[in-house]
């Protein structure tokens, strides 16, 4: 009699069971041993999901220009920006800039369609735009959470652990920026330690500081030490996040950082930061109109600073719970906005940023999984080119979770597989296998299966597929427990990438001089 035991075919149950356990253990050891693998950024071979027809797109574009022309946007505490806009032909009234119809779109036309961000390891250089998708981790939370220490304020030690996890994660292409906010370092100096962690603990591309223009300049100066001054002058080595204070306000801190980066040919994500119902209309079309107007104004301003400055059209949108006032994530409205904003960005010929493993849950539980995967899939299908918050986000962005970081990072492999489309080559059609097996047979031992089984299916490095008895014997671990073990495994096996000692010393000297030049600030 033929028995199937734990997915392995055997003709003797007792001997088969022993063989299965031994073989399974060997396979698990093979899967979980450390290998320094990393994936190239995604190039989609699947079509984008487009939710808006041509008429809807044209209405939104017309109304966005109407907002800029009749209502205008505010550039707060920034007389230099007001002068730039006036010289470009805008109508200035106080701090309000009213942009004639078509002017912002014309200015945006000089921004490049694709941004190449160089990493210090050339093999990890990414391209942002076209059909590409670059995955970057969570950004900005002041708190962290793990299964042992619970929820607490983040420290630089936590920050460094996240950078290491990002470096060790196969499916992440980018080291990110403020993966958590290290509150044990003065607010005016922590950007130096964060940048140094990205530069020394990883060789993937990273983001610069935007919390004050001088910190953006520090980011540029540190990159010149890392990459060389001439290389930075001629190439993009940083991507940075510039949020708009929706609705329709551009503050001097964010715009000051944008000015530094654009002047130095470093890429910025110009991103309206919207909680629908509070910072934009409650409707999808109304929010998309406001998103487009804000993005047009911000991107156009970058081109006033430097014609051809690399830029990314951003859209970060959540909705609001009308009972509690809390932001909500993983909703159908947000997915519709991601898709629609992607269409608008592509019509402008610009790279697009949105999405991530966003959730409102307090724990890496079922709610977090449902909400996160909804947004991850929407971002993949909506044509996102740069996905911030792709792993680790918890509690509406207040918390960076170690367990969720590795849970999400594992799931990012699914996006790679989905984006690759369907193989219809001779091997993909598998007619030789169908001929070999014939009616009533099985495919387990045929040549085609033997030649393809290692790469035939996406494999999780985290999730549990063992038989119940094996799972119970090993401690009945839930996914959080497995993720905690995965975190420790990756940190235990972390291997620091090499960095030229002279460059490292120069970076440390720069940091010391900067820190010694001013007293600590608490805010």
């Amino acid at each position: 009699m033929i028995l199937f035991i734990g997915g392995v075919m055997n003709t003797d149950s007792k001997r088969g069971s022993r063989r299965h356990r031994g073989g399974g253990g060997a396979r698990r050891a093979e899967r979980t041993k450390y290998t320094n693998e990393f994936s190239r950024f995604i190039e989609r071979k699947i079509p984008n999901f487009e939710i808006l027809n041509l008429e809807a797109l044209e209405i939104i574009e017309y109304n966005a220009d109407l907002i800029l022309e009749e209502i205008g946007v505010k550039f707060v505490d920034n007389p230099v920006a007001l002068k730039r806009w006036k010289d470009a032909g805008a109508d200035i009234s106080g701090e309000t800039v009213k942009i004639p119809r078509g002017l912002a779109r014309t200015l945006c036309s000089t921004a490049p369609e694709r941004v190449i961000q160089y990493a210090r390891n050339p093999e990890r250089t990414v391209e942002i735009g076209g059909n590409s998708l670059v995955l970057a981790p969570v950004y900005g939370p002041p708190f962290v959470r793990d299964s042992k220490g619970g929820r607490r304020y983040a420290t630089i030690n936590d920050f460094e652990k996240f950078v290491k996890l990002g470096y060790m994660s196969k499916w992440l292409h980018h080291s990110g920026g403020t993966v958590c906010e290290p509150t044990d370092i003065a607010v005016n100096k922590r950007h130096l330690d964060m940048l140094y962690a990205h530069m020394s603990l990883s060789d993937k591309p990273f983001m610069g500081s935007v919390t004050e223009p001088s910190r953006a300049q520090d980011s540029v100066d540190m990159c010149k030490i890392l990459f060389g001054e001439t290389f930075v002058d001629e190439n993009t080595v940083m991507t940075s996040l510039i949020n708009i204070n929706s609705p329709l306000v551009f503050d001097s801190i964010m715009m000051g950082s944008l000015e530094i980066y654009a002047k130095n040919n470093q890429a910025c994500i110009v991103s309206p930061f919207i909680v629908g119902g509070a910072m934009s209309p409650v409707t999808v079309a109304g929010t998309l109109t406001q998103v487009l107007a804000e993005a047009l104004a911000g991107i156009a301003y970058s081109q006033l600073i430097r014609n051809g400055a690399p830029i990314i059209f951003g859209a970060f949108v959540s909705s609001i719970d009308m009972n509690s006032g809390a932001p909500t994530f993983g909703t159908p409205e947000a997915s519709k906005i991601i898709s629609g904003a992607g269409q608008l960005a592509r019509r402008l010929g610009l790279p697009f940023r949105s999405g991530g493993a966003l959730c409102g849950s307090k724990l890496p539980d079922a709610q977090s999984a449902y909400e996160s995967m909804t947004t991850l899939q929407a971002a993949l299908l909506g044509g996102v080119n740069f996905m911030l918050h792709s792993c680790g986000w918890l509690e509406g962005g207040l918390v960076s979770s170690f367990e969720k970081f590795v849970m999400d990072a594992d799931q990012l492999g699914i996006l790679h597989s989905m984006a690759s489309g369907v193989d219809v080559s001779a091997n993909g059609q598998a007619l030789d296998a169908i001929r070999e097996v014939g009616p009533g047979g099985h495919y387990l031992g045929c040549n085609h299966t033997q030649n393809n089984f290692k790469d035939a299916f996406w494999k999780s490095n985290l999730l549990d597929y063992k038989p119940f008895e094996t799972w119970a014997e090993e401690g009945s671990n839930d996914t959080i427990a497995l993720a905690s073990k995965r975190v420790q495994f990756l940190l235990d096996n972390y291997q620091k990438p090499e960095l030229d000692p002279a460059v490292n010393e120069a970076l440390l000297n720069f940091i010391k001089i900067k820190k010694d030049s001013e007293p600590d600030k608490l805010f």
Side-chain angles (χ1 to χ4, degrees):
M1 179 175 68
I2 296 177
L3 299 176
F4 285 85
I5 304 172
V8 177
M9 183 179 67
N10 291 281
T11 56
D12 180 278
S13 62
K14 292 182 179 178
R15 288 184 289 114
S17 178
R18 285 194 295 271
R19 282 200 299 270
H20 166 63
R21 290 188 182 182
R27 286 192 296 274
R28 284 194 297 276
E30 177 69 21
R31 284 198 304 271
T32 57
K33 74 178 182 180
Y34 169 73
T35 54
N36 191 18
E37 291 183 296
F38 67 92
S39 59
R40 191 175 182 270
F41 62 89
I42 293 172
E43 286 283 354
R44 289 180 183 83
K45 297 180 181 179
I46 58 175
N48 294 316
F49 172 64
E50 299 194 338
I51 200 166
L52 300 174
N53 61 25
L54 180 60
E55 180 184 10
L57 289 165
E58 290 177 344
I59 290 171
I60 289 169
E61 290 171 342
Y62 180 89
N63 287 337
D65 275 338
L66 192 70
I67 289 171
L68 294 178
E69 187 173 40
E70 294 187 1
I71 301 171
V73 296
K74 277 195 171 184
F75 278 74
V76 179
D77 296 327
N78 196 338
V80 174
L82 298 176
K83 184 179 187 308
R84 284 194 177 105
W85 275 116
K86 184 175 182 179
D87 292 345
D91 178 25
I92 310 300
S93 177
E95 293 183 323
T96 299
V97 178
K98 293 184 178 180
I99 305 171
R101 178 173 293 276
L103 174 59
R105 193 174 297 274
T106 298
L107 292 170
C108 289
S109 67
T110 62
E113 293 185 359
R114 200 170 179 94
V115 175
I116 299 176
Q117 185 185 351
Y118 289 88
R120 71 177 179 93
N121 178 350
E123 293 183 346
R124 300 185 190 250
T125 291
V126 297
E127 298 181 24
I128 307 167
N131 290 322
S132 72
L133 172 56
V134 175
L135 302 172
V138 61
Y139 182 106
F143 299 101
V144 298
R145 175 182 282 278
D146 61 31
S147 59
K148 295 179 181 178
R151 186 183 190 269
R152 62 187 186 277
Y153 279 106
T155 66
I156 191 62
N157 183 54
D158 293 315
F159 186 95
E160 291 171 349
K161 286 181 180 178
F162 277 117
V163 173
K164 291 176 182 178
L165 290 175
Y167 175 67
M168 295 285 284
S169 297
K170 177 180 179 180
W171 305 116
L172 273 177
H173 315 119
H174 203 281
S175 192
T178 309
V179 286
C180 63
E181 189 80 28
T183 58
D184 57 338
I185 301 175
V187 69
N188 59 323
K189 300 177 181 180
R190 63 182 62 154
H191 66 289
L192 301 166
D193 297 88
M194 290 190 283
L195 277 164
Y196 178 70
H198 284 300
M199 292 175 171
S200 62
L201 301 178
S202 175
D203 60 8
K204 294 182 179 182
F206 53 86
M207 302 175 75
S209 176
V210 295
T211 53
E212 210 276 332
S214 67
R215 297 167 200 164
Q217 186 61 56
D218 288 343
S219 303
V220 173
D221 293 341
M222 288 179 70
C223 281
K224 289 183 177 181
I225 295 172
L226 182 67
F227 290 93
E229 187 167 348
T230 301
F231 190 87
V232 173
D233 288 341
E234 298 175 354
N235 299 283
T236 298
V237 299
M238 268 186 299
T239 301
S240 298
L241 178 61
I242 305 296
N243 281 321
I244 298 164
N245 285 352
S246 303
L248 305 172
V249 174
F250 295 76
D251 70 75
S252 59
I253 292 176
M254 283 287 164
M255 288 303 101
S257 295
L258 172 68
E259 290 160 6
I260 295 294
Y261 287 125
K263 181 176 66 175
N264 286 279
N265 197 36
Q266 301 306 305
C268 286
I269 305 164
V270 174
S271 188
F273 187 94
I274 287 176
V275 179
M279 301 157 71
S280 77
V282 295
T283 60
V284 169
T287 295
L288 280 170
T289 303
Q290 182 181 310
V291 165
L292 179 58
E294 292 177 347
L296 281 170
I299 294 166
Y301 183 60
S302 75
Q303 301 306 296
L304 289 177
I305 298 163
R306 177 170 175 155
N307 192 287
I311 211 79
I312 299 166
F313 180 127
F316 178 88
V317 179
S318 69
S319 52
I320 194 171
D321 183 281
M322 289 298 181
N323 292 320
S324 68
T328 57
F329 300 91
T331 62
E333 293 78 20
S335 294
K336 292 176 186 179
I337 290 168
I338 288 172
S339 179
Q343 288 179 259
L344 295 167
R346 288 190 291 277
R347 283 168 65 84
L348 286 168
L350 293 170
F352 177 49
R353 170 260 161 158
S354 191
L358 309 178
C359 69
S361 181
K362 314 304 181 291
L363 297 170
D365 56 8
Q367 178 186 340
S368 75
Y370 291 146
E371 292 175 343
S372 295
M373 188 48 72
T374 296
T375 311
L376 288 173
Q377 291 287 343
L380 172 69
L381 299 176
V384 170
N385 301 118
F386 187 88
M387 187 195 295
L388 200 55
H389 312 303
S390 66
C391 62
W393 167 293
L394 202 61
E395 202 181 316
L398 289 174
V399 171
S400 294
S401 163
F402 286 97
E403 281 80 17
K404 191 166 185 289
F405 192 102
V406 298
M407 291 163 65
D408 293 336
D410 184 68
Q411 291 293 290
L412 295 180
I414 292 178
L415 302 190
H416 285 74
S417 179
M418 288 289 293
S420 68
V422 177
D423 176 15
V424 292
S425 66
N427 183 68
Q429 291 288 324
L431 285 176
D432 56 339
I434 298 171
R435 290 191 182 99
E436 180 183 343
V437 171
H442 67 78
Y443 289 83
L444 292 174
C446 77
N447 289 328
H448 184 271
T449 300
Q450 295 300 311
N451 291 334
N452 288 276
F453 77 93
K454 286 187 177 181
D455 302 313
F457 307 119
W458 171 77
K459 300 178 185 70
S460 171
N461 284 316
L462 176 67
L463 302 182
D464 182 276
Y465 299 110
K466 305 181 188 76
F468 175 83
E469 292 78 11
T470 306
W471 171 77
E473 288 174 5
E474 293 180 355
S476 305
N477 291 308
D478 62 14
T479 305
I480 295 177
L482 294 173
S484 183
K485 292 180 179 180
R486 180 69 179 168
V487 168
Q488 195 58 53
F489 171 83
L490 291 172
L491 293 176
D492 288 344
N493 286 275
Y494 168 78
Q495 297 177 16
K496 187 176 181 179
E498 291 186 7
L499 179 62
D500 186 314
V503 170
N504 186 60
E505 183 178 0
L507 287 170
L508 292 173
N509 286 337
F510 177 88
I511 292 169
K512 185 178 186 308
I513 291 169
K514 293 297 295 188
K515 284 189 174 184
D516 290 346
S517 67
E518 59 180 319
D520 291 354
K521 294 181 182 179
L522 299 178
F523 53 88

